[in-house]
Amino acid sequence: DEGAADGGAPGANADAADARSRRAEGARGAVFGKVTVGDDWKQVEAGGGREGVEGADYLYELGRSQQFSTDVTVGARQDMVDSKFIGGFLGKESDIASGELRGFEFRTFKNLVGDYYVPQRFLDTFATFMAKNFLLEEIGTKKIPLILGIWGAKGCGKSFQVELACRKMGVVPIVTSAGELEDEWAGEPGLLLRERYRKAASVIKNQGKMSCLVINDLDAGCGRLKDTQCTVNNQMVMGTLMNLCDNPERVSVGQEWRENDKVYRVPIIVTANDLSTLYAPLLRDGRMEKFYWDPTREDICAMVETMYRDDGLTHEQVERLVGEFAGQPLDFFGALRAKAYDEQIARWTLETARAAAEKGEKDAYETSNETYNISAVCRRLMALRKEQKTPVGEGVRVPDLNLESVSITLEKLLEGGRDLVREQQHVNDNSLAREYMAWQRDPAEVAAEKAAEEAAKRPKPKPLTAEQIAAAIERSKAAAAERDAAEAAARAARRAADAIAREAREAARALEPEPEPEPEPARWPSVSPPMAHAMQWGDSASEFYEETYDGDKFVLVDVRSAKSSGREMPKGAVSVPAFSLVGPPLALVAEPLDSFLEAFEAAFPDRTANLLVVGGERAGDEVGEFECASVAMDQLVDAGYVNAVQVHGGYQNWVEFYSPSGKARPPKANFKYVTGAPGTVCVGAELTADFGHGQRTNA
């Protein structure tokens, strides 16, 4: 504590008393006062505390005040702090001073040696997404997806193509694997993603290089499959990614929120085989842009041709190789190239082991035909690694192993490819896990297999003799004859039933009455009371009225008996009786008037006059059960009145809509009349009964 408190201590090996005296006499000692030192480690540095801050001391001032030196090298270098704070294991300077021990997750692409082909469609999608996230302000919207989800079948080169695209664009990615998305402590994977996101943002800010966060095989770490368990960390990772998409500039790793604590927007690239296994809200278009990577045959041929460029394969040979193993992913051809060196490496391993056995080295094992020491291979390789100081990620150079002499031909590749395909099929055919873990299989499937095994174990029946075969044939013939006889009897019964049904239909058809003739078409038009009212007073009632009669007004003619029309009559109507009421008061009968047509011609000599005919009483038996207006209309049509129109329903229907004075009645009102003899209506007997449920006719 004393060495850290006194940033200008002259020597690290001086005792505590001299250090305190020098500090008291120095400049800082004059400012902060003397140090109170005791046996208690909780003692504070005397002096220098701010007023009103409890427990404030020199260390507090050193960390908080801006008027004193806060150089991070204080207490971190040799000769600046007591020797007991300097260890020999990490060197004379700690990590805070030099930064040599700091770890970074940046990819350097040292493993990508040589030239590789990146399909233009993949590179265009990647470059467009990266540029779009860095042109956020220019586009004028913040609704740009932060995540690019590249998904597709296994082995099609998704992660490798991402690295190649980053190298071509000069992007410094920070890569995270799906294996890091689970931890024994809840929340650690989410914190790891936020820390690496901020690290990528610091690359953009401090190094001036484009960066991104890459998460490989996200569905393997956080996908929800049939029998996988969803943990808290899975939920935290999904929530962290959604939060980064919604707030890409405010990322907390546990510290207090500050208004000015904003980081640069960092694009996130994720690869997966099936994005549908992830949490659905993360796949929303505003958060993730989906890109299905399914390389075409031309893309695979171009990538394989680049892979085998140094081996001398022509374009035609590459196309034949890809066609021979159609349906295989891209990594199949990478493994095929590595398999071409197996024979040379196996020969070197055997020669090295045999040479070690001849020298008499230990661990020699005797075989049936020769003696060799296989453990010498491991010692040789580790000795070469130590001698050459091989860096991490690079291979050992063996002087007596010349891999460049290996000739990679199309025939050798085809033979090696068939071996790989054969091993793939062998794995699929011999599913040993089905036998080891039968308790996890479908019970119905297991029961079916057991039943098949038991059936195979049953003894086979003895072969039939000639007599048994002949008897079986005879029984079969007899059964066939019985079936034929039964079918013939059934057919005969069906034919008899059909004949009876046909006779019954013919008898029923004979008893049916003759169909009534279709009614003759109406000789004159008829209109409803509302339209008749509009035609009488010249209102626009319908297109029919406007087109047929040019909107001309009509004269309403009441053809009821003089007795009925004298009692009440529609407003503006002209009475021309076509009937007279005869008989006793309680048994009145309407009889046609022979003088009707003559009186009508006298009132309306113009045969083209627009006339509305309204009747009321019912005619007697001698004229049929028709309205009086129908009888009158027959005479008018025969006399040549071409524009005569009947009011449907007669006067009884008219008063359902209008009062005698011409006022419209309330809609859907039901009026009942007290009647006496047929054809009579009591004066003033219009009674409203059941308003809202009227049955008036509006034809």
Side-chain angles (χ1 to χ4, degrees), residues 434-448:
R434 295 168 61 88
E435 181 179 348
Y436 300 154
M437 308 179 71
W439 58 275
Q440 289 187 349
R441 295 167 57 194
D442 187 3
E445 183 181 355
V446 176

Side-chain angles (χ1 to χ4, degrees), residues 86 112 237 243 303 345 359 389 403 526 577 661 665 670:
I86 299 179
L112 303 179
V237 169
N243 180 258
M303 289 184 282
I345 295 175
K359 293 179 181 179
K389 297 181 180 180
L403 296 179
S526 63
S661 61
R665 296 187 186 277
N670 186 18

Side-chain angles (χ1 to χ4, degrees), residues 576-598:
V576 182
F579 296 86
S580 64
L581 296 178
V582 297
L586 296 180
L588 295 176
V589 178
E591 292 184 353
L593 292 176
D594 297 336
S595 60
F596 164 70
L597 186 58
E598 182 179 354

